Structures are given as C-alpha cells and as structure tokens.
Amino acid sequence: MQTGEGKTLVAVAPLALEALYGKGAHLATANDYLAARDAAKMQPVFETLGLSVGVVESATAPRARRQAYLCDVTYGSAKEFG
C-alpha cells in the first residue's frame, strides 16, 4: 500500500485476531517514529478488546524491550525484530 492508504487501520484486524488467539502479534514499520505513532494511535482499539500494546524502539532498554515483547501486540521497526 502507498503512503496514506490506511495501513495503520487495516493492520488492526489481523493483529487483534492473532493476539486474541493468544499467539501475540508483531507489526514491523519502517522506523521508530511510525512504530510509536501507530501503537499510540491504535492502543485504544486494542485495549477495548482487552489486549496490551508494546513498542520496541532502537533506544529501548533491554528490560523494557522484554516487557514490550510480552504484550499481546508489539510494534517496532523492521530492524528491531530479528
């Protein structure tokens, strides 16, 4: 999808489905800014479903990183997952 076509909104349904099944879900973005922005924007939707949301950024400390990975839905840049 091109910029501005709604990837942030479209991704909520499959992320929520995976997370509701207890599998956890990761969303990889192009950079830390987009990861933090999209997580904050969509967090109310996920919380309404009873799901937790975490963000992994390049400056995230190891302990906070572990906590983010324990969330039902984890946002981060592609270079942070691996």
Side-chain angles (χ1 to χ4, degrees), residues 25-41:
H26 297 100
L27 184 131
T29 64
N31 57 53
D32 288 346
Y33 166 77
L34 291 174
R37 183 200 70 182
D38 292 355
K41 189 179 281 191

Side-chain angles (χ1 to χ4, degrees), residues 16-51:
L17 276 174
E18 284 295 309
L20 286 170
Y21 281 115
K23 297 180 179 180
H26 297 100
L27 184 131
T29 64
N31 57 53
D32 288 346
Y33 166 77
L34 291 174
R37 183 200 70 182
D38 292 355
K41 189 179 281 191
M42 295 297 115
Q43 188 169 2
V45 175
F46 292 119
E47 288 179 345
T48 299
L49 297 170
L51 300 171

Side-chain angles (χ1 to χ4, degrees), residues 5 7 12 14-15 19 22 24 31-32 35 37 45 56 62-64 70:
E5 290 185 343
K7 291 182 288 295
V12 171
L15 287 169
N31 57 53
D32 288 346
R37 183 200 70 182
V45 175
V56 176
R63 186 173 189 179
L70 291 174

Side-chain angles (χ1 to χ4, degrees), residues 43-72:
Q43 188 169 2
V45 175
F46 292 119
E47 288 179 345
T48 299
L49 297 170
L51 300 171
S52 58
V53 178
V55 180
V56 176
E57 298 176 275
S58 58
T60 304
R63 186 173 189 179
R65 187 177 292 261
R66 280 190 290 279
Q67 289 300 317
Y69 279 119
L70 291 174
C71 291
D72 298 307

